[in-house]
Amino acid sequence: MKAVIRAFARAVRTAPVLVLVAVLVLTAVFGGAFAVIAPETATGNEGFAPDNAEIAASERISELFGGDSQTSVFQVIVRAPDGNVISQAGLEAVNAINAAVQGSEAFQYLVALGPEQPPVVSYLGPVYQALARQGVDPTASIGDGAVQNAFQQALASPELPDAQRGQIIRLLAEGSDPVTAQAQAGLVLMFVDTPDTATAQEAFDRQIEIETMLTEAIEVVSVEGIEIRPFSFGLLFGGQDEFLTEVGTLFGAAMAIIIVILLFVYTVRARGPVWLRPAAVTIGAIAASGLFFGTALEGVGGVANAVAVGVVVFVIARALLGIVAGAPKVTRSARRALADMALTIVTIVFAIVWMQGIGALLLELGVLGSFNQVTQIVPVLLIGLGVDYAIHLTARYREQLGGGDTVDESIGTAIGTVGVALTLATLTTAIGFLTNVFNPVPALKDFGILSSVGIVASFLLMLTFVPAIRQILDRRAESKGVLPVSEFKSAGDGSLSRIIEKTSVLADRIPVLTVVVALVLGGLGVWGLTQLETRFSFTDFLPEGSPVVETLNILIDEFGGGFGETSQVLVEANDGVDLASASAHNAMVEITAALGSMSDVVAFDTPAGPVAQANSPVGLLQQLLAPGPDGNPTAPPELLSLVQELGLGPDLTAPAGVDLTPLYAAVANAVPDEAAAVMHFEGDRLEAVLFDISTQAGEADADELRVALVDAFAPLGGQANFIPTSDEIISAVIVEALASSQTQSLLITLVIATFVLMASFWVENRRPFLGVITMLPVALVVFWTYGLMYATGIPFGPVTATLAALAVGIGVPFTIHIARRFEEDRNRFETLGDALRSTTRHTGAALAGSAFTTMAGFGILMSSTLKPFQQMGQVTVYAIGLSLIGAILVLPSLLALWEGWHRRRGTAGPQKATVV
C-alpha cells in the first residue's frame, strides 16, 4: 500500500503536468467509449429478473410458441366518479371512443380473437345488441332510462351466451349492480396485434408506438361528467424517457446543493456576529427543521425523516450564512473556495465519465448485463463519495500549509497520510459494493460492479488530478508570495472543529457507557432487521404522479387488476412421454376444469360450472366442439369423427391407452394459428403445450397464485415438467431472492472488510486488532440504519438492498480517517485525552463537513417522484448521519478503552510512520 501511495506522491511532485495530461487523455478515451457504445437503459423485467426457472420458462415460451408477434390488451376506463356509466353520458363516451379509434391509424392493428371476441369489446356491448334488435340508432340521444332498460334486457336474455354474460359483468367495476344497471365505472377493451419484427425489443417498441397512437386518439374525447382513462402495460413500462429525465433532474439538483455546501466548507471564515456563528446556525437549523418539517411531512416518514429533510435544507442556509460571516476576507477566501470547489466538481465529473466509459466497455465484454434503473443512481453516489475524498485531502493539505510546510511538502504529507486512509477506504468500499456480485438480482450485480469502478476512479483522480492541479497552481502562488498560508493557520480552530472536539469528552470520561449504549441500540437494530418487510414492484420505478400509474391503481382497486394480466404455464414432456397420450390428455382436462374454480383466475359462469378464461390445447378442443348459434358444433366433420372414434366422453376424457395424436393434429389443421400458440410438435410427438391464463393476482398475490398453479398441474407429475411464469410471478421471485440474499450480503461485506483492515493495520502498525475496532462502529451503523428503516416504514427492496454495501462504503472511510489520525496523535501527546481531542478536532471536523455535504447530495433523492429513490435518499441520510455518530462518538470510545488497556499494561508500543 505504501508503494502505491509513494508512487502517486512521486508522480505528482515530479511530473504534475504529465499527470494532468494523462488524466485528460484517459477522460477523453472513456468518454468516447461511452458515446460510441451508447448503452441503453433497461426497463421492466430486464435487469431485475434473477437467473431461475421462471425466467427460463418465459424465454422458452418465446422460443417454442413464438414471441415476435404478440397481442396485447389495451384498456380504457370509462368512469363517472359521482354517477352511473350505464347511462346516456356513458353511451356517448363509448360512441366517441369508438369513433376516435376508428379514425386513428392504430385501428388497422386491432384484431378479433374469435367470433365471440371482436377487436373492441365494451361494457355497453349488451346495449348495442339490444338497440340493434329494436332498430334504434345507438348514436342518438335516447336518455338514461332507455340505456339502462336495454342493458337489463340484453343481460337477462337467454340468447346471451354465459361466457359473454360473465365477461360483460367483469367489465363493470367492483360494487356494480348489473341487475339494476348501476355502475360507477366500466371498461372498453381493444386487442392490439403487434406486427412481426426482427427482435423482441423491436416488437415491444412497436407495441408502445401503436398504443401511444390509441392513447392520443382517445385523450381528445371529452364527455361531461365522464372520466376517460386509457391504459396498457406497454405504456406503463415504456416511459423510459420520464425515468431518465427524473434521474437527470436529481443529479443536477444534487450537484447544485453540493456546490453551495462546498463553498461553505472550503471558505476560510472570519468570526462574524454571534447569531451567524456556525454553532448558533446549526442549532437553529435543527430546531426549525423539527418544527416545520415535522408538520409538513407528517405522512411521509415521521420525525426521523423530518429531521433528515430539515438538515438537508437548512445546511444550505448555514453554508450561505457562514460565507456572509466571513465577509471581511471574502475576496481572497471566495477565490480560494471557488477554485477548490470547481476542482472538486470537475474531478467528480471526470470520475463519472470514467465510470460510464469503463462500464460501457464491460457491457461489451459481457461483464455487465445492462445499464438499468438501479445503476442510474451511481453518479449521485459518486458525487457523495467523491466529495468526501476531496474534503479530507484538501483539509489535510491546508493544515500542512498552515503549519509552515512548503507546497511540495504539504502535497506529499497530504497524499502520504490521507492517501493511506483513502486507499483503505476505497478498497473496503469497493469490496462492499462488489459483494453484490453474489446477489441473484442482475441489476444489483451490475450496480455493485459499476459502483466499484466509479469509486476506484474517484480515488485515482483525487490522488493524482487534484494534487497535480494544486501543485501547479500553488507553486506559482508560492513563488509570488500570494499563497494564503496565514489563513490556513486557523485550520482546526473553527466553530465546527471546536464543537466536534467537545464530543471527545464521552471517550475520555465515559467510554464504557458510550459503548454499551451503542451496542444496545445495535441489538434493537438487529431486531428491526428481522422485522423488515421485503417488497418489490416494477411500478415503483415510475413517477408517483404519472397518469398511467394512477390508472393502474384504479384498475387494481375497482377492476381487480383489469384484463392485462396473464399467467402462463409451460408444460414440457419428460423423455419418452407424448403429451398426446390418454393419461397426459386426461390430466390436462382435469387441470382445465380445476382452473375455473381457482382464486385469482378469471372465469365465467356456465351451466356446467365456472370455466377459466384461458388458451390451451384442451381449451381449443372445447371451443371447436362447442355448439354454434344454430346449436351445431363448429368443428370440421373429420374432427367430430375422430372424437367419436377415439371414444372421448362428454367431458372430453379419453379411454386409457388411446393415442390422441391424430386428434391434436386435427385441431392444429382446423385452427393452425391458434394451435401454434399453445402446442409444439417435435415430428409427430406433442412435446410441449402452453396454458395462457387470464389472472388477477397482481404483484401482491402472485406468489400464492404460483403455488396454486403448481398444485393444479400436479396431475401431470411424472409425465412432464411444468413451470408457471408471468411478470407478476417474476416480481415475487425477485422478492424471495432479495430476502434470501440479504443476510448473506451483509455478512460477506462485513467479514471481508474486517479482514482487509486487519491485514492493513498489521502490515502498517503491527496492530491487527485495530481493524476489528475500526469495523465495529460500521457494523453498528448498518444495524442502526436497518432499525431506522423499520421504524420509518421503509421496506427492503432492490434499491435499499444495497444498504449493507452503502453503509460500509460510507462508514469505513469515516472510521478509517479517525483510526489513522489517532495512530498519529497517540504518540504526539502525553495524555490520552489530548490525543482524542486532537483527533476529533482535526479529522472529526472534516468528517462532519463531509457528512453534511454527502447528506445534502443524497438527501435530494428524497424529493424524487420515484419511490425507490425517495427511500434510497432517506436510507442514505440515515447511514451518513449514523456513520458520523459512530466515527466521532463510538470509535473514539473504543480506541480510548483499547489504548488505555495497552498503556496500563505497558504494551502500547511506538507508532510506525505512515507518511510517505
Side-chain angles (χ1 to χ4, degrees):
M1 187 181 302
K2 276 189 175 181
V4 174
I5 300 302
R6 191 178 296 114
F8 285 144
R10 185 183 303 113
V12 169
R13 286 199 301 259
T14 58
V17 175
L18 184 60
V19 170
L20 176 60
V21 171
V23 167
L24 293 176
V25 170
L26 286 174
T27 302
V29 169
F30 292 136
F34 183 79
V36 170
I37 297 173
E40 295 183 354
T41 301
T43 57
N45 282 346
E46 189 178 356
F48 285 97
D51 184 15
N52 59 18
E54 286 76 13
I55 301 301
S58 180
E59 295 172 352
R60 182 71 171 155
I61 287 169
S62 296
E63 178 184 338
L64 295 177
F65 304 102
D68 295 336
S69 179
Q70 55 183 348
T71 301
S72 60
V73 181
F74 188 89
Q75 306 174 76
V76 182
I77 299 176
V78 178
R79 194 165 178 254
D82 301 316
N84 182 18
V85 293
I86 307 177
S87 61
Q88 177 62 43
L91 183 62
E92 290 176 6
V94 174
N95 285 335
I97 291 170
N98 287 334
V101 170
Q102 290 174 13
S104 168
E105 183 184 344
F107 183 69
Q108 62 183 307
Y109 300 108
L110 301 187
V111 295
L113 300 184
E116 302 298 330
Q117 194 85 352
V120 180
V121 176
S122 164
Y123 73 97
L124 289 181
V127 173
Y128 284 97
Q129 294 173 6
L131 294 179
R133 285 194 297 269
Q134 298 169 17
V136 177
D137 182 3
T139 62
S141 179
I142 59 177
D144 294 345
V147 174
Q148 292 171 353
N149 288 335
F151 184 88
Q152 292 169 317
Q153 292 172 10
L155 205 63
S157 171
E159 297 179 2
L160 184 68
D162 292 326
Q164 190 175 349
R165 180 180 293 106
Q167 185 183 58
I168 294 299
I169 292 174
R170 284 202 59 245
L171 290 174
L172 300 177
E174 294 177 358
S176 301
D177 188 354
V179 176
T180 60
Q182 297 290 320
Q184 194 176 50
L187 286 178
V188 178
L189 306 182
M190 303 172 194
F191 302 98
V192 180
D193 184 57
T194 305
D196 290 347
T197 56
T199 66
Q201 183 61 46
E202 290 178 358
F204 181 70
D205 293 340
R206 185 57 176 151
Q207 174 191 336
I208 293 174
E209 185 179 332
I210 295 169
E211 292 173 349
T212 300
M213 288 190 287
L214 286 172
T215 300
E216 291 172 350
I218 293 169
E219 282 178 340
V220 301
V221 174
S222 177
V223 177
E224 185 177 355
I226 298 294
E227 181 181 319
I228 300 172
R229 307 182 71 109
F231 174 84
S232 79
F233 285 94
L235 291 176
L236 184 68
F237 295 118
Q240 179 176 332
D241 291 341
E242 291 183 14
F243 171 80
L244 295 178
T245 300
E246 174 84 8
V247 173
T249 301
L250 293 174
F251 178 83
M255 189 71 81
I257 290 175
I258 284 181
I259 285 173
V260 174
I261 299 177
L262 280 176
L263 286 174
F264 161 66
V265 173
Y266 285 149
T267 299
V268 180
R269 298 172 299 282
R271 290 183 181 273
V274 172
W275 64 274
L276 280 179
R277 291 182 184 175
V281 176
T282 301
I283 293 171
I286 294 175
S289 68
L291 290 173
F292 177 76
F293 289 99
T295 301
L297 298 181
E298 181 179 357
V300 175
V303 177
N305 290 346
V307 174
V309 176
V311 170
V312 170
V313 174
F314 280 96
V315 76
I316 300 174
R318 182 193 184 289
L320 294 173
L321 292 172
I323 293 175
V324 173
K329 297 183 178 180
V330 69
T331 303
R332 180 183 295 178
S333 179
R335 272 203 310 267
R336 187 72 185 196
L338 284 170
D340 283 336
M341 177 275 295
L343 181 56
T344 299
I345 296 301
V346 168
T347 307
I348 291 172
V349 171
F350 280 10
I352 293 171
V353 171
W354 283 32
M355 178 273 296
Q356 290 178 324
I358 296 172
L361 294 173
L362 293 176
L363 188 65
E364 287 292 294
L365 295 173
V367 177
L368 283 183
S370 67
F371 280 69
N372 51 68
Q373 290 100 324
V374 178
T375 61
Q376 293 304 303
I377 66 175
V378 175
V380 182
L381 174 74
L382 293 185
I383 292 177
L385 295 179
V387 164
D388 175 69
Y389 287 6
I391 288 177
H392 285 289
L393 187 66
T394 303
R396 188 57 186 258
Y397 173 61
R398 288 183 172 188
E399 180 185 343
Q400 295 304 128
L401 284 176
D405 289 354
T406 66
V407 168
D408 285 1
E409 291 170 343
S410 298
I411 287 288
T413 301
I415 295 177
T417 53
V418 176
V420 173
L422 292 186
T423 303
L424 277 177
T426 300
L427 186 58
T428 52
T429 304
I431 289 173
F433 282 103
L434 281 176
T435 56
N436 281 297
V437 301
F438 299 105
N439 199 296
V441 179
L444 296 184
K445 293 181 183 178
D446 297 335
F447 171 79
I449 295 171
L450 267 185
S451 297
S452 300
V453 168
I455 289 164
V456 172
S458 295
F459 165 75
L460 294 175
L461 287 166
M462 289 298 172
L463 286 193
T464 55
F465 181 68
V466 171
I469 292 289
R470 274 281 141 245
Q471 184 96 345
I472 294 171
L473 297 178
D474 287 353
R475 272 180 179 173
R476 183 177 303 168
E478 187 178 44
S479 66
K480 293 181 179 179
V482 295
L483 191 65
V485 174
S486 60
E487 296 179 14
F488 296 147
K489 290 180 180 180
S490 62
D493 294 331
S495 298
L496 183 60
S497 299
R498 292 195 299 272
I499 291 172
I500 300 301
E501 178 187 351
K502 293 184 184 301
T503 63
S504 64
V505 69
L506 297 178
D508 192 23
R509 298 184 181 178
I510 52 171
V512 174
L513 179 60
T514 303
V515 172
V516 169
V517 171
L519 291 174
V520 170
L521 293 176
L524 292 175
V526 172
W527 178 82
L529 171 60
T530 64
Q531 304 301 309
L532 275 180
E533 177 189 4
T534 302
R535 191 163 66 228
F536 171 75
S537 173
F538 293 119
T539 58
D540 286 346
F541 287 94
L542 300 170
E544 287 183 319
S546 168
V548 184
V549 176
E550 292 177 357
T551 305
L552 173 62
N553 291 333
I554 294 174
L555 281 172
I556 293 173
D557 295 339
E558 300 183 13
F559 295 93
F563 285 75
E565 177 183 314
T566 60
S567 297
Q568 298 174 309
V569 181
L570 173 64
V571 180
E572 292 190 88
N574 292 336
D575 291 340
V577 175
D578 190 335
L579 293 177
S581 66
S583 58
H585 168 83
N586 290 340
M588 289 191 287
V589 171
E590 181 181 347
I591 291 166
T592 301
L595 290 175
S597 57
M598 278 182 55
S599 175
D600 293 323
V601 170
V602 177
F604 50 85
D605 294 325
T606 70
V611 175
Q613 186 170 318
N615 295 324
S616 69
V618 173
L620 279 181
L621 185 58
Q622 289 174 335
Q623 291 176 24
L624 289 170
L625 297 177
D630 57 0
N632 297 317
T634 57
E638 57 270 21
L639 181 60
L640 294 174
S641 298
L642 273 172
V643 169
Q644 295 176 353
E645 180 183 333
L646 296 171
L648 267 63
D651 60 354
L652 297 185
T653 56
V658 174
D659 181 11
L660 298 178
T661 299
L663 178 67
Y664 283 101
V667 170
N669 289 331
V671 282
D673 292 340
E674 292 85 347
V678 294
M679 292 190 291
H680 177 77
F681 291 90
E682 189 66 34
D684 293 333
R685 174 174 170 256
L686 183 58
E687 182 185 50
V689 301
L690 178 67
F691 282 72
D692 196 349
I693 310 161
S694 293
T695 55
Q696 291 182 312
E699 292 177 340
D701 299 321
D703 193 56
E704 289 80 359
L705 174 63
R706 179 181 63 82
V707 173
L709 288 172
V710 170
D711 292 340
F713 278 75
L716 276 171
Q719 302 181 76
N721 292 318
F722 46 88
I723 302 172
T725 186
S726 70
D727 285 345
E728 293 71 25
I729 288 174
I730 290 170
S731 294
V733 169
I734 291 174
V735 168
E736 289 185 1
L738 286 172
S740 63
S741 66
Q742 168 179 331
T743 304
Q744 177 189 14
S745 176
L746 174 60
L747 291 176
I748 291 174
T749 301
L750 293 177
V751 169
I752 294 179
T754 301
F755 275 112
V756 169
L757 290 181
M758 289 179 67
S760 171
F761 282 113
W762 182 80
V763 171
E764 295 291 333
N765 308 89
R766 295 297 185 264
R767 308 182 91 184
F769 193 70
L770 188 55
V772 177
I773 293 176
T774 304
M775 275 301 298
L776 182 57
V778 178
L780 289 174
V781 166
V782 174
F783 294 126
W784 292 346
T785 309
Y786 277 127
L788 269 182
M789 284 176 61
Y790 172 69
T792 54
I794 300 176
F796 191 81
V799 174
T800 52
T802 63
L803 171 62
L806 187 63
V808 171
I810 294 169
V812 166
F814 280 24
T815 57
I816 285 176
H817 286 303
I818 290 288
R820 298 206 69 84
R821 181 62 187 236
F822 179 75
E823 280 295 287
E824 291 183 42
D825 290 337
R826 69 184 182 90
N827 281 347
R828 288 182 186 173
F829 299 92
E830 293 184 3
T831 68
L832 183 58
D834 288 340
L836 290 169
R837 281 188 288 274
S838 174
T839 297
T840 52
R841 181 173 64 251
H842 291 95
T843 302
L847 288 181
S850 172
F852 289 142
T853 310
T854 313
M855 287 170 72
F858 280 104
I860 195 64
L861 292 174
M862 287 189 282
S863 67
S864 172
T865 60
L866 306 177
K867 188 179 297 182
F869 285 5
Q870 293 174 7
Q871 296 169 348
M872 181 71 168
Q874 292 173 249
V875 169
T876 308
V877 168
Y878 295 165
I880 296 169
L882 294 173
S883 293
L884 179 62
I885 292 172
I888 65 175
L889 298 183
V890 180
L891 181 57
S893 296
L894 291 169
L895 292 171
L897 291 173
W898 188 61
E899 181 68 13
W901 181 76
H902 276 294
R903 288 191 178 191
R904 287 192 298 272
R905 297 185 61 192
T907 58
Q911 117 178 0
K912 289 188 64 178
T914 58
V915 180
V916 176

